[in-house]
Amino acid sequence: PWDVIEQVKGTYRADYLGRIDYAVDQLTKKGVKPLLIILNTPAWETNSSDPHVAPANNQEFVAYMSFIMQRYK
């Protein structure tokens, strides 16, 4: 979830990403192409405690998606 990985704008949780890296690596080794689903907008992006609120700034979402896409292409 975006709100877990980037709890602070521009800072990505290495521990959580490591878990995703491991899962993607294991699936890929078995010939499975994982489909990552992006969930939950961080509170710093929406000024809301509801993670289901759409991002207030599309550029922040684009930046996060670009980061994820580069990491798991």
Side-chain angles (χ1 to χ4, degrees):
W2 182 14
D3 64 336
V4 173
I5 294 172
E6 190 179 10
Q7 294 175 345
V8 176
K9 182 179 177 179
T11 303
Y12 303 107
R13 283 188 48 194
D15 62 323
Y16 201 89
L17 288 169
R19 291 169 44 198
I20 298 170
D21 293 346
Y22 178 77
V24 168
D25 184 56
Q26 293 302 305
L27 289 167
T28 302
K29 285 179 181 177
K30 295 179 190 294
V32 176
K33 293 176 98 176
L35 173 66
L36 301 179
I37 298 172
I38 307 302
L39 302 169
N40 301 350
T41 308
W44 60 262
E45 179 18 61
T46 63
N47 292 319
S48 171
S49 61
D50 182 355
H52 302 105
V53 173
N57 179 342
N58 286 338
Q59 291 303 339
E60 299 294 349
F61 181 69
V62 168
Y64 178 72
M65 289 301 296
S66 295
F67 168 77
I68 293 296
M69 288 170 53
Q70 287 299 312
R71 190 175 183 102
Y72 299 108
K73 60 182 175 181

